[in-house]
Structure formats: structure tokens, C-alpha cells
Amino acid sequence: MDRTQKAALAGAAIGSVVTALKFGAWWLTGSLALYSDALESIINVVAAACAFVALRVAASPPDADHPYGHHKAEYFSAVIEGALIIVAALLILREAASGILAPRLVDAPVLGLAVNALATVVNAAWAAALMRRGRAWRSPALVADARHVLADVFTSVGVLVGVALVAATGVLVLDPIVAGLVALNILWSGWGMVRESIDGLMDRAAPAEMVGQIRELISAHGAGALEAHDVRTRHAGQATFIDFHLVVPGEMSVQTSHAICDRLEQAIEAAIAGAVVVIHVEPAEHAKQHGVPVL
């Protein structure tokens, strides 16, 4: 089991604790806003479990049916998580509409808020740690999970403020209104996750900064070649596929051009974690276009 899978399992365990605390807060108060917050936390646990399964699949080596590996499995996890978030938001909206029509009294607000605040602190600490790890390890599944947990933290803060206002003012309809606002925020978060995952499944290019870095590496380590063109990139989970055409003098030997390619591959793979490099060599007289000059 690698580090990303362990992080996903830890997320499921922490999410279970947080969910239990939030449902405890709802049980103490009967607040619809706290109920909506607890329901979103259930999605955190399910999403962490989905991320674990996706990471297990993504870590599988290439096989005859999947020669490029299983990296994109992580994007399916993020799509599933986004869909679950949207379902949760719709359920909360239904409860909020019911609460607006028939507002209910909130019981033991101070104790309920204290329990929910504890859960929020735990969630915030885990979201920060998970985001750092997800970005450092370039894992879409962990980053998606971290963003969901972070959205849950912001939701919880809003809920705490809303329920506190209900307790302070006695305006009961504020409780379902806050729940409805929570649902709309969750809905937006879920849509954003699905959209980003679809980008990954559609082979979106690497960020412009990374493409610029690749071009600089080609220029710095391609001595002996003339230029490179048609530099293309695509992300697939933790892997970044990079391919380009390398123009060499027509009289250069295969052995020499192969050595240049090896040097370039090693430099790019050392600088960019998860890089998979493919280079097409072509003689100068057949070069298609001008591209990255090699110094």
C-alpha cells in the first residue's frame, strides 16, 4: 500500500469521527443546518473510500489491455465524489424547504455548537494536511478529497454562525435558510469537482508553467540536436505524458541521436515527477516546422 492509499484510508477514518460528532450535534439540537452539515460529512467518508479504491486501481502496472497504465482511475473517483456531493445538496434543499414551511425550535444550542466546532477544527487540520500531500504527490483523487473537506470546513463555519444567530434572535426560520445556503454551496463545490475531473479525462494539457519548464529543459539538455517542435503534454492522474519531435542533423548516427534522447528523458523525468517522455527523432531536411531551439 503506497502513501496516497494510506492517506485515503486515514481520510475515511477521520471523516467517520467527524461525521459522528456532527450527527451528535444535530441529535442534541434538532437543527436542520447542523443536519445538513452532518449529511455532507457522510459524503466525505464515502468519497475517501472511493479515493482509496481509485488509487489502488491507478497504482496497478500497465497490462495488455491498458498499456499506458491505469492512472485515469483517480479522475473517476473525483467524478463520483462530485456526483455524491450534488445528491447530498439536493437532499438538504428538500429538508430546508420543509423547514422554511414549518420552522422548528433548536434545542441545547450551546452544547450542539461546541460539538460541531470541535468537528470543524479536526476537519480543518486534516484538509490542510491532505491538500499539502495531494499537491506534493500530484494525486487528483487526494486533491479532490481535500477540496471537499475544505468546503465542508467553510460550510461548518457558516452553519455555526447561522445556528448561533437562531439561538440569539429566536428567529427559527434562519435555521432552514442557513441549511439551504449550505446546500447551494455544496452544489457549486460538487459541480466544480466534476468539471475538473472531466478535464482530466479529456486529456487536458499540463499547466503553462510546466510546459515552459519542459521547453527550457529541452533547450538546456539537447546539445547536439537542432531544435524541438510539436511539444505536447497531457495529465493522467499522477503521470504527465510528454512527447515532442527532436530535429537532428541528417548525417547524425542513430547511436548519437539516441544518446541525446536518453539525456533529455533523464533530465525531464528528474525535474517533473511522474513524467513519461516519448521523443520522435527526425532529420533536419524533413523537419516539419521551427520550434524550441536547442542551445
PDB file of all heavy atoms in Angstrom, residues 66-81:
ATOM      1  N   HIS A  66      -4.329  -2.371 -20.999  1.00  0.00           N
ATOM      2  CA  HIS A  66      -4.097  -0.971 -20.607  1.00  0.00           C
ATOM      3  C   HIS A  66      -2.595  -0.686 -20.653  1.00  0.00           C
ATOM      4  O   HIS A  66      -1.949  -0.524 -19.611  1.00  0.00           O
ATOM      5  CB  HIS A  66      -4.649  -0.701 -19.199  1.00  0.00           C
ATOM      6  CG  HIS A  66      -6.085  -1.082 -19.025  1.00  0.00           C
ATOM      7  ND1 HIS A  66      -6.483  -2.348 -18.668  1.00  0.00           N
ATOM      8  CD2 HIS A  66      -7.230  -0.365 -19.200  1.00  0.00           C
ATOM      9  CE1 HIS A  66      -7.805  -2.399 -18.602  1.00  0.00           C
ATOM     10  NE2 HIS A  66      -8.276  -1.208 -18.936  1.00  0.00           N
ATOM     11  N   PRO A  67      -2.026  -0.617 -21.841  1.00  0.00           N
ATOM     12  CA  PRO A  67      -0.573  -0.459 -21.976  1.00  0.00           C
ATOM     13  C   PRO A  67      -0.043   0.862 -21.431  1.00  0.00           C
ATOM     14  O   PRO A  67       1.153   0.970 -21.140  1.00  0.00           O
ATOM     15  CB  PRO A  67      -0.333  -0.579 -23.485  1.00  0.00           C
ATOM     16  CG  PRO A  67      -1.651  -0.218 -24.108  1.00  0.00           C
ATOM     17  CD  PRO A  67      -2.689  -0.729 -23.153  1.00  0.00           C
ATOM     18  N   TYR A  68      -0.902   1.870 -21.290  1.00  0.00           N
ATOM     19  CA  TYR A  68      -0.464   3.155 -20.751  1.00  0.00           C
ATOM     20  C   TYR A  68      -0.721   3.268 -19.247  1.00  0.00           C
ATOM     21  O   TYR A  68      -0.568   4.333 -18.658  1.00  0.00           O
ATOM     22  CB  TYR A  68      -1.170   4.304 -21.483  1.00  0.00           C
ATOM     23  CG  TYR A  68      -0.722   4.457 -22.913  1.00  0.00           C
ATOM     24  CD1 TYR A  68      -1.458   3.882 -23.942  1.00  0.00           C
ATOM     25  CD2 TYR A  68       0.432   5.149 -23.233  1.00  0.00           C
ATOM     26  CE1 TYR A  68      -1.046   4.002 -25.261  1.00  0.00           C
ATOM     27  CE2 TYR A  68       0.856   5.278 -24.554  1.00  0.00           C
ATOM     28  CZ  TYR A  68       0.115   4.694 -25.560  1.00  0.00           C
ATOM     29  OH  TYR A  68       0.531   4.815 -26.863  1.00  0.00           O
ATOM     30  N   GLY A  69      -1.123   2.167 -18.625  1.00  0.00           N
ATOM     31  CA  GLY A  69      -1.380   2.184 -17.192  1.00  0.00           C
ATOM     32  C   GLY A  69      -2.827   2.494 -16.855  1.00  0.00           C
ATOM     33  O   GLY A  69      -3.687   2.568 -17.732  1.00  0.00           O
ATOM     34  N   HIS A  70      -3.092   2.689 -15.558  1.00  0.00           N
ATOM     35  CA  HIS A  70      -4.451   2.894 -15.067  1.00  0.00           C
ATOM     36  C   HIS A  70      -4.596   4.241 -14.346  1.00  0.00           C
ATOM     37  O   HIS A  70      -5.443   4.407 -13.470  1.00  0.00           O
ATOM     38  CB  HIS A  70      -4.830   1.763 -14.098  1.00  0.00           C
ATOM     39  CG  HIS A  70      -4.743   0.395 -14.714  1.00  0.00           C
ATOM     40  ND1 HIS A  70      -3.543  -0.249 -14.901  1.00  0.00           N
ATOM     41  CD2 HIS A  70      -5.702  -0.443 -15.176  1.00  0.00           C
ATOM     42  CE1 HIS A  70      -3.768  -1.442 -15.455  1.00  0.00           C
ATOM     43  NE2 HIS A  70      -5.051  -1.570 -15.638  1.00  0.00           N
ATOM     44  N   HIS A  71      -3.749   5.204 -14.730  1.00  0.00           N
ATOM     45  CA  HIS A  71      -3.677   6.472 -14.000  1.00  0.00           C
ATOM     46  C   HIS A  71      -5.004   7.214 -13.923  1.00  0.00           C
ATOM     47  O   HIS A  71      -5.304   7.881 -12.935  1.00  0.00           O
ATOM     48  CB  HIS A  71      -2.637   7.390 -14.658  1.00  0.00           C
ATOM     49  CG  HIS A  71      -1.302   6.762 -14.848  1.00  0.00           C
ATOM     50  ND1 HIS A  71      -0.439   6.543 -13.800  1.00  0.00           N
ATOM     51  CD2 HIS A  71      -0.678   6.282 -15.956  1.00  0.00           C
ATOM     52  CE1 HIS A  71       0.662   5.974 -14.257  1.00  0.00           C
ATOM     53  NE2 HIS A  71       0.546   5.793 -15.558  1.00  0.00           N
ATOM     54  N   LYS A  72      -5.822   7.126 -14.966  1.00  0.00           N
ATOM     55  CA  LYS A  72      -7.044   7.931 -15.010  1.00  0.00           C
ATOM     56  C   LYS A  72      -8.116   7.452 -14.042  1.00  0.00           C
ATOM     57  O   LYS A  72      -9.152   8.108 -13.887  1.00  0.00           O
ATOM     58  CB  LYS A  72      -7.606   7.948 -16.435  1.00  0.00           C
ATOM     59  CG  LYS A  72      -6.776   8.794 -17.386  1.00  0.00           C
ATOM     60  CD  LYS A  72      -7.470   8.978 -18.715  1.00  0.00           C
ATOM     61  CE  LYS A  72      -6.665   9.883 -19.624  1.00  0.00           C
ATOM     62  NZ  LYS A  72      -7.343  10.108 -20.916  1.00  0.00           N
ATOM     63  N   ALA A  73      -7.888   6.327 -13.378  1.00  0.00           N
ATOM     64  CA  ALA A  73      -8.864   5.846 -12.392  1.00  0.00           C
ATOM     65  C   ALA A  73      -9.112   6.895 -11.314  1.00  0.00           C
ATOM     66  O   ALA A  73     -10.217   6.991 -10.770  1.00  0.00           O
ATOM     67  CB  ALA A  73      -8.375   4.549 -11.757  1.00  0.00           C
ATOM     68  N   GLU A  74      -8.110   7.728 -11.023  1.00  0.00           N
ATOM     69  CA  GLU A  74      -8.269   8.756  -9.995  1.00  0.00           C
ATOM     70  C   GLU A  74      -9.340   9.769 -10.384  1.00  0.00           C
ATOM     71  O   GLU A  74     -10.056  10.298  -9.536  1.00  0.00           O
ATOM     72  CB  GLU A  74      -6.939   9.467  -9.747  1.00  0.00           C
ATOM     73  CG  GLU A  74      -5.882   8.585  -9.092  1.00  0.00           C
ATOM     74  CD  GLU A  74      -4.741   9.403  -8.528  1.00  0.00           C
ATOM     75  OE1 GLU A  74      -5.019  10.431  -7.877  1.00  0.00           O
ATOM     76  OE2 GLU A  74      -3.584   9.011  -8.735  1.00  0.00           O
ATOM     77  N   TYR A  75      -9.444  10.065 -11.671  1.00  0.00           N
ATOM     78  CA  TYR A  75     -10.441  11.042 -12.104  1.00  0.00           C
ATOM     79  C   TYR A  75     -11.857  10.506 -11.905  1.00  0.00           C
ATOM     80  O   TYR A  75     -12.779  11.267 -11.606  1.00  0.00           O
ATOM     81  CB  TYR A  75     -10.230  11.399 -13.574  1.00  0.00           C
ATOM     82  CG  TYR A  75      -8.949  12.168 -13.821  1.00  0.00           C
ATOM     83  CD1 TYR A  75      -7.944  11.645 -14.623  1.00  0.00           C
ATOM     84  CD2 TYR A  75      -8.742  13.414 -13.247  1.00  0.00           C
ATOM     85  CE1 TYR A  75      -6.767  12.346 -14.859  1.00  0.00           C
ATOM     86  CE2 TYR A  75      -7.572  14.121 -13.463  1.00  0.00           C
ATOM     87  CZ  TYR A  75      -6.589  13.583 -14.276  1.00  0.00           C
ATOM     88  OH  TYR A  75      -5.427  14.283 -14.484  1.00  0.00           O
ATOM     89  N   PHE A  76     -12.040   9.202 -12.073  1.00  0.00           N
ATOM     90  CA  PHE A  76     -13.360   8.624 -11.846  1.00  0.00           C
ATOM     91  C   PHE A  76     -13.769   8.804 -10.389  1.00  0.00           C
ATOM     92  O   PHE A  76     -14.937   9.033 -10.078  1.00  0.00           O
ATOM     93  CB  PHE A  76     -13.366   7.145 -12.227  1.00  0.00           C
ATOM     94  CG  PHE A  76     -13.349   6.905 -13.709  1.00  0.00           C
ATOM     95  CD1 PHE A  76     -12.194   6.518 -14.350  1.00  0.00           C
ATOM     96  CD2 PHE A  76     -14.489   7.098 -14.480  1.00  0.00           C
ATOM     97  CE1 PHE A  76     -12.159   6.311 -15.720  1.00  0.00           C
ATOM     98  CE2 PHE A  76     -14.476   6.898 -15.843  1.00  0.00           C
ATOM     99  CZ  PHE A  76     -13.306   6.502 -16.465  1.00  0.00           C
ATOM    100  N   SER A  77     -12.791   8.686  -9.482  1.00  0.00           N
ATOM    101  CA  SER A  77     -13.076   8.900  -8.062  1.00  0.00           C
ATOM    102  C   SER A  77     -13.598  10.314  -7.827  1.00  0.00           C
ATOM    103  O   SER A  77     -14.585  10.524  -7.117  1.00  0.00           O
ATOM    104  CB  SER A  77     -11.798   8.671  -7.239  1.00  0.00           C
ATOM    105  OG  SER A  77     -11.953   9.165  -5.927  1.00  0.00           O
ATOM    106  N   ALA A  78     -12.932  11.294  -8.443  1.00  0.00           N
ATOM    107  CA  ALA A  78     -13.344  12.683  -8.257  1.00  0.00           C
ATOM    108  C   ALA A  78     -14.727  12.944  -8.864  1.00  0.00           C
ATOM    109  O   ALA A  78     -15.524  13.699  -8.312  1.00  0.00           O
ATOM    110  CB  ALA A  78     -12.304  13.621  -8.882  1.00  0.00           C
ATOM    111  N   VAL A  79     -15.022  12.300 -10.007  1.00  0.00           N
ATOM    112  CA  VAL A  79     -16.343  12.453 -10.629  1.00  0.00           C
ATOM    113  C   VAL A  79     -17.423  11.873  -9.715  1.00  0.00           C
ATOM    114  O   VAL A  79     -18.477  12.484  -9.500  1.00  0.00           O
ATOM    115  CB  VAL A  79     -16.379  11.758 -12.006  1.00  0.00           C
ATOM    116  CG1 VAL A  79     -17.811  11.672 -12.514  1.00  0.00           C
ATOM    117  CG2 VAL A  79     -15.530  12.523 -13.006  1.00  0.00           C
ATOM    118  N   ILE A  80     -17.160  10.677  -9.161  1.00  0.00           N
ATOM    119  CA  ILE A  80     -18.126  10.042  -8.258  1.00  0.00           C
ATOM    120  C   ILE A  80     -18.347  10.913  -7.027  1.00  0.00           C
ATOM    121  O   ILE A  80     -19.484  11.123  -6.580  1.00  0.00           O
ATOM    122  CB  ILE A  80     -17.632   8.639  -7.847  1.00  0.00           C
ATOM    123  CG1 ILE A  80     -17.666   7.695  -9.054  1.00  0.00           C
ATOM    124  CG2 ILE A  80     -18.494   8.077  -6.716  1.00  0.00           C
ATOM    125  CD1 ILE A  80     -16.989   6.363  -8.808  1.00  0.00           C
ATOM    126  N   GLU A  81     -17.252  11.452  -6.487  1.00  0.00           N
ATOM    127  CA  GLU A  81     -17.370  12.307  -5.307  1.00  0.00           C
ATOM    128  C   GLU A  81     -18.199  13.546  -5.618  1.00  0.00           C
ATOM    129  O   GLU A  81     -19.075  13.943  -4.835  1.00  0.00           O
ATOM    130  CB  GLU A  81     -15.976  12.716  -4.823  1.00  0.00           C
ATOM    131  CG  GLU A  81     -16.002  13.518  -3.538  1.00  0.00           C
ATOM    132  CD  GLU A  81     -14.613  13.753  -2.982  1.00  0.00           C
ATOM    133  OE1 GLU A  81     -13.660  13.100  -3.428  1.00  0.00           O
ATOM    134  OE2 GLU A  81     -14.504  14.597  -2.071  1.00  0.00           O
TER     135      GLU A  81
END
